[in-house]
Amino acid sequence: MMSNDQLGRPEHPELSEEENELQRGTDPHTVVGTDPVAPATSDPDPEWQPDPGRADEWRRIANEIGRERRPRREDVYPYLLIRATASGDRGRRPTWPPVSCWESPDILLLDASYTGEFDPARLVVSPVAGRSYRVFVRIWNLGLFPATGVHVKAWAINPGFFGTGNQNDPYYQQNIIGGRWVELADRTRPSCTALVELDATWDIGPDEFGHHCLLAEVGCPMDPASGLLLSNNDRHVGQRNLEVLLGAADAKDLFGHLAGLVPEDFTLELTHAGPAVLGTLQALGGGVLLDQEGGPHEIVLPELEEVRFGVSTGTAVHLLTAFRTRGRTLVAASDRLAERRGIQPGAPGRGRVHPFDRPGGTRRLIERLGPDSWERIGTVTDLPLADALLDGLARLLDVDGFEAGRLASRLGGPDRAQHPLRLTLTDADGGLIGGYTVVLG
C-alpha cells in the first residue's frame, strides 16, 4: 500500500496532547441537546371557576361563520312541498296569519265511475255521501337534488277545525285513504312536479255527513315530514277544508255543525276572503264550479269593496266574532265593534296590520269593552254557539233561510258571484287551531 508521501499528499502533523485538546475543544456532556429549564410556577387559584358563557360565545361565533358559508337547504337536498295556497307558496311556514293554510289546491278529486286519464273538466269540488272518488295529489320538489323514495299519502277527517292541539281527538280520527311511491327530479327539470293518483279510492259511506277534511303528506328519506299533519307548520302537508254550496243547497247544517265544534272560551271568526281564493277554486274545479244538478258556474269572486257587510281590513272583510264564556254566548258584528272602538275600515297603511287581522285581535277588543257593553256590538244569549251563530248570521244578512244562492245575493258583488266565507278557530291566546272555508254561490 502506498503512503501519503508516495501519493503526494501531506502528512498529518504530530500533535501533543495539549495541542490536540486546544484544536478539538472539549466534548459536551449531552450530545443530543437538552430541554430548557421550566420556570417556577405558582399554585392555581383555588377560587377559579370556569365561565359558563364562554362556550356559548364561541358556539355563537362558529354558528355565524357557518351561516355565512352555508347554502340554503333547497340548494343541497330535496325540498318537497304540497302547497297551502294556489300562488306564491315556496314552502314558508307558517302561512297564517294572514294566508289560509287549509285551502290547498293540490288535493284533487275525480268521481271513481270515470276510469280514464286525469281530466280537469271532471274535477269534483264538493264530494257527497255514498260516492267513491279517485284522489290525486300534486307534489313538488323545489330542491336542486332529485328526490327518491318519495311517499305520498292522504287521509279523510270529519269536517271541522283539525289542527294544533286536537290531533288525538277521536272526532278528528285520521282515516287513511291510500298512498303511492314515486320519484321527482330536481327543480331544473319539468319532472320536479307530479300529479300522483293514490292506490285506493276514497269511499264515503251513505250514512256519513258528506262534508270532510282532506289531508295529504309527502316525504322522502332525505326530506322527511314531521308526521304531525299540521299544514300551518309543515310544508310537507296539504289540507283541503273547503266546501262549495251553490244555488238551492242549504248551508244551515254545515254552519251549525262547525259552530258546534267550538270549545268553551275559544273564538270563532267569520270573514269574507274575496278574490284570495280564486286560484284555489280554479285548481279544484278545473276552471268551473258545478251545482247539485251538474250545471256549470263560472268562477266569479267579488272584490273586497263590493261586499256589503262587515269591515274591510285590506286582506279580507271581517263579518262576525263569536264565542261562549261563563254560560253566555256572544255573536259580535264586526262593523258595530269597529264603530265602537273607532277603527276605520280598509288597509291600515304600509307596514301596519289592521287590528282585526291580528291573531285574536277582535276578541281582545271585545274583552276590553267589558261584558256590560257586549249588547251594543252584537247579540248576547244563553243559546249554544251553534244556534247563536246561525241567528247572528241571519241578522247580519237580513235573511230568514240559509239557501246558498240567497245568502250569496245578499253579500253583494257581481251577478251570480261566489262568496268564500272563512271560519277561523283560535284558542284563548289567539293561536290558530284550524279553519274551514264555505263558498256560497
Side-chain angles (χ1 to χ4, degrees), residues 301-330:
L301 301 182
E303 298 295 329
L304 297 180
E305 296 77 13
E306 297 177 299
V307 179
R308 292 175 179 164
F309 306 94
V311 177
S312 175
T313 66
T315 61
V317 175
H318 207 288
L319 299 173
L320 296 173
T321 301
F323 58 88
R324 183 170 178 81
T325 183
R326 299 175 184 174
R328 295 197 303 169
T329 303
L330 170 65

Side-chain angles (χ1 to χ4, degrees), residues 68-399:
E68 291 175 359
R69 293 166 172 79
R70 185 182 303 154
R72 294 190 300 182
R73 191 190 192 288
E74 59 264 38
D75 293 337
V76 180
Y77 295 106
Y79 195 82
L80 300 178
L81 171 68
I82 299 177
R83 290 178 297 170
T85 184
S87 61
D89 187 359
R90 286 188 51 85
R92 182 188 65 84
R93 299 294 183 270
T95 67
W96 182 270
V99 178
S100 170
C101 62
W102 58 85
E103 296 169 356
S104 174
D106 289 338
I107 306 175
L108 308 172
L109 301 175
L110 292 180
D111 195 288
S113 61
Y114 170 70
T115 58
E117 295 293 324
F118 178 82
D119 184 357
R122 296 177 177 270
L123 283 168
V124 175
V125 179
S126 296
V128 297
R131 303 288 298 181
S132 295
Y133 298 93
R134 297 164 62 187
V135 180
F136 296 80
V137 182
R138 188 179 299 280
I139 57 176
W140 307 76
N141 177 21
L142 304 185
L144 276 177
F145 198 86
T148 59
V150 178
H151 195 201
V152 188
K153 296 176 285 184
W155 296 261
I157 300 177
N158 284 326
F161 306 101
F162 176 82
T164 304
N166 59 23
Q167 299 97 321
N168 297 321
D169 187 329
Y171 174 81
Y172 292 110
Q173 179 181 354
Q174 297 109 58
N175 302 296
I176 186 71
I177 297 173
R180 181 77 69 181
W181 293 92
V182 296
E183 294 186 358
L184 294 175
D186 66 81
R187 70 170 183 250
T188 66
R189 303 175 184 274
S191 52
C192 68
T193 182
L195 184 63
V196 181
E197 181 175 6
L198 303 188
D199 59 1
T201 59
W202 174 32
D203 305 319
I204 308 177
D207 299 328
E208 295 187 42
F209 186 48
H211 307 288
H212 292 82
C213 301
L214 293 175
L215 291 164
E217 180 191 75
V218 62
C220 72
M222 294 187 69
D223 188 23
S226 66
L228 296 179
L229 297 182
L230 297 177
S231 60
N232 202 41
N233 300 74
D234 193 345
R235 57 182 162 80
H236 301 83
V237 179
Q239 187 171 15
R240 172 176 164 166
N241 291 9
L242 185 144
E243 186 75 23
V244 176
L245 301 175
L246 302 175
D250 193 348
K252 180 178 181 179
D253 288 346
L254 181 56
F255 276 111
H257 180 81
L258 294 172
L261 298 173
V262 177
E264 182 92 1
D265 284 325
F266 282 45
T267 305
L268 185 66
E269 296 178 59
L270 180 65
T271 58
H272 192 301
V277 189
L278 178 61
T280 294
L281 289 178
Q282 290 175 331
L284 298 183
V288 297
L289 301 176
L290 302 179
D291 58 27
Q292 291 176 322
E293 288 73 36
H297 292 247
E298 179 186 0
I299 300 176
V300 178
L301 301 182
E303 298 295 329
L304 297 180
E305 296 77 13
E306 297 177 299
V307 179
R308 292 175 179 164
F309 306 94
V311 177
S312 175
T313 66
T315 61
V317 175
H318 207 288
L319 299 173
L320 296 173
T321 301
F323 58 88
R324 183 170 178 81
T325 183
R326 299 175 184 174
R328 295 197 303 169
T329 303
L330 170 65
V331 179
S334 301
D335 54 354
R336 293 167 65 180
L337 174 62
E339 181 180 3
R340 184 74 178 173
R341 299 294 302 181
I343 296 172
Q344 298 299 318
R350 186 175 181 179
R352 302 181 63 186
V353 178
H354 193 281
F356 286 11
D357 272 346
R358 296 169 185 161
T362 56
R363 177 67 181 267
R364 285 192 293 272
L365 292 172
I366 293 170
E367 296 285 4
R368 289 172 189 168
L369 286 176
D372 293 340
S373 300
W374 287 357
E375 291 185 351
R376 300 179 184 179
I377 59 172
T379 302
V380 181
T381 177
D382 295 333
L383 292 174
L385 185 58
D387 296 331
L389 180 70
L390 291 172
D391 180 68
L393 186 57
R395 288 173 181 266
L396 175 71
L397 303 183
D398 191 21
V399 295

